[in-house]
Amino acid sequence: MFSSTGSSGLYKAPLSKSLLLVPSALSLLLTLLLPHCQRFFLYDLQAVKDDFQIWRLICGRIICLDLKDSFCSSLLIYNFRIFERRYGSRKFASFLLGSWVLSALVDFILVEAMWYSFGITASRNLPSGFLAPVFALFVPFYCSIPRVQVAHILGPLSITNKTLIYILGLQLFTSGSYIWIVAISGLISGICYNSKILQVHQVLYIPSWMAKFCSWTLEPIFSSSEPTTEARVGMGATVDIQRQQRMELLDRQLMLSQFAQARRQRQQQGGMINWNRLFPPLRQRRNINYQEGRRAEQQASPPLEVSEEQVARLMEMGFSRGDALEALRASNNDLNVATNFLLQH
């Protein structure tokens, strides 16, 4: 429901899986069985400043003590797993580390600014948990994930593939009195790291030896197998619509498997994938007699024109122009389907 792009599950996302399981399990443990230990995981900047309890900057910013915050942040991390597939686990971990460290500094600045400007003490009331990096991930989500319209409501208002994610982020943003401080610090740190301001990405990163060590020790524990089937689509109200939806689902599964096989062959032999030779455009397949009725027309028809704006969006996500063109032609200019093709493998 909350996944905007990519296949379901946590395939090729071991770090995201660990962030889902470990902090959530510890949060439940502290809430249900060890409530007397929660004081060690409070995010108390006043204690850090006055008593030099530096360890609170670590313990207080990993585990959520509020189950609502833990649930919302887990859903967002599950959706943002697409960046781990795109960047790789090491670069994704470097982004999380950089935004986590930078946001701690911004938290101090914002808390002190509130105290000197309005006399409001917020240093003892900040929410605990791995929240700032979650808000930081909204920066690449806004910049690099294409916006695909799903439906219209109330005239000009539209629902896109990103709407539910923003609503969930807004829910997390309003879940506490001072969580907005953590949210703003996360967004600022995400902008700084994503925009490479002051070259912070060259200072705050995961070294290669640590990435190799984690890959050898932790990745086998948190790795997931490749999903064999995609999630079922919602069924229509009539038999004809249901039949059409089943056909489109089978078409998509066929295209994904053919695309994976063709990409493996290209890696071995080199060259461009001929998408139109592998399979016809999905959106033009409307009835059972499509293959017979369109053969002669396809031989005479010119190549499908591709929107340069959609090509630019795919290139902004890191794909080559050639792959973007072929993916859009194969999906009949359907940006969402083309993105799925390129992100899933």
Side-chain angles (χ1 to χ4, degrees):
M1 176 180 180
F2 293 101
S3 181
S4 58
T5 55
S7 60
S8 60
L10 292 162
Y11 176 60
K12 292 185 179 179
L15 178 58
S16 299
K17 186 176 181 179
S18 65
L19 291 175
L20 285 174
L21 296 180
V22 177
S24 299
L26 292 176
S27 179
L28 286 173
L29 182 65
L30 289 173
T31 302
L32 302 178
L33 300 179
L34 301 172
H36 58 282
C37 296
Q38 289 187 354
R39 67 180 185 275
F40 297 110
F41 296 91
L42 292 175
Y43 186 24
D44 190 346
L45 288 181
Q46 194 67 37
V48 175
K49 179 180 177 182
D50 296 340
D51 303 329
F52 298 101
Q53 297 181 3
I54 307 298
W55 54 271
R56 289 193 179 274
L57 291 176
I58 300 176
C59 296
R61 305 181 70 240
I62 294 179
I63 302 174
C64 289
L65 299 181
D66 191 326
L67 292 181
K68 300 191 303 297
D69 294 348
S70 178
F71 179 73
C72 290
S73 60
S74 296
L75 288 178
L76 289 171
I77 289 173
Y78 178 78
N79 180 80
F80 292 147
R81 75 200 186 283
I82 194 68
F83 295 113
E84 184 175 4
R85 293 174 178 169
R86 174 184 170 186
Y87 299 146
S89 297
R90 181 188 174 189
K91 189 174 181 180
F92 182 66
S94 297
F95 179 90
L96 295 178
L97 174 65
S99 59
W100 188 71
V101 174
L102 286 174
S103 61
L105 177 61
V106 179
D107 284 344
F108 268 109
I109 295 174
L110 292 178
V111 167
E112 292 298 319
M114 287 187 60
W115 168 250
Y116 286 109
S117 301
F118 307 104
I120 299 176
T121 302
S123 57
R124 295 188 181 275
N125 301 305
L126 295 178
S128 303
F130 196 72
L131 300 176
V134 173
F135 283 106
L137 285 169
F138 274 99
V139 176
F141 180 74
Y142 174 81
C143 296
S144 61
I145 300 298
R147 179 177 176 270
V148 180
Q149 181 176 305
V150 176
H152 273 290
I153 57 171
L154 301 177
L157 299 179
S158 62
I159 297 177
T160 70
N161 59 325
K162 302 168 72 172
T163 300
L164 290 178
I165 310 304
Y166 289 131
I167 292 176
L168 188 60
L170 181 62
Q171 168 65 31
L172 184 60
F173 183 84
T174 57
S175 63
S177 300
Y178 294 101
I179 196 173
W180 62 270
I181 296 178
V182 178
I184 292 176
S185 66
L187 292 174
I188 293 175
S189 62
I191 293 173
C192 292
Y193 202 93
N194 194 63
S195 302
K196 301 179 181 180
I197 297 177
L198 302 177
Q199 302 298 315
V200 292
H201 67 287
Q202 296 183 359
V203 180
L204 301 173
Y205 67 95
I206 302 296
S208 58
W209 64 266
M210 183 178 295
K212 292 178 181 178
F213 177 77
C214 293
S215 177
W216 178 63
T217 56
L218 299 179
E219 186 172 349
I221 300 175
F222 295 104
S223 61
S224 300
S225 59
E226 183 176 2
T228 56
T229 58
E230 293 294 319
R232 296 182 60 185
V233 296
M235 300 308 295
T238 66
V239 176
D240 290 338
I241 295 177
Q242 293 176 11
R243 184 183 299 112
Q244 181 64 29
Q245 288 176 337
R246 291 192 186 97
M247 290 175 58
E248 291 184 353
L249 179 60
L250 292 174
D251 287 342
R252 177 170 295 188
Q253 293 173 351
L254 176 62
M255 284 190 288
L256 291 176
S257 63
Q258 290 176 330
F259 169 68
Q261 181 180 1
R263 174 156 287 191
R264 286 193 296 267
Q265 293 176 354
R266 187 180 66 167
Q267 291 175 352
Q268 296 175 358
Q269 302 175 359
M272 181 69 67
I273 299 176
N274 191 347
W275 297 68
N276 292 323
R277 184 180 62 187
L278 289 173
F279 38 77
L282 171 64
R283 297 301 181 184
Q284 293 180 358
R285 184 170 293 185
R286 296 303 181 189
N287 52 63
I288 301 176
N289 297 324
Y290 168 81
Q291 293 181 347
E292 297 180 357
R294 294 284 291 177
R295 285 176 183 172
E297 181 180 347
Q298 284 183 346
Q299 293 176 355
S301 60
L304 179 67
E305 294 185 1
V306 177
S307 171
E308 287 297 327
E309 179 181 358
Q310 293 179 344
V311 173
R313 286 191 178 184
L314 290 176
M315 292 178 66
E316 289 175 357
M317 297 176 66
F319 304 113
S320 66
R321 178 177 177 82
D323 281 353
L325 288 171
E326 297 296 335
L328 289 169
R329 291 194 186 105
S331 59
N332 195 28
N333 275 325
D334 191 312
L335 183 60
N336 196 23
V337 175
T339 306
N340 283 334
F341 287 156
L342 297 172
L343 286 176
Q344 286 181 353
H345 299 278

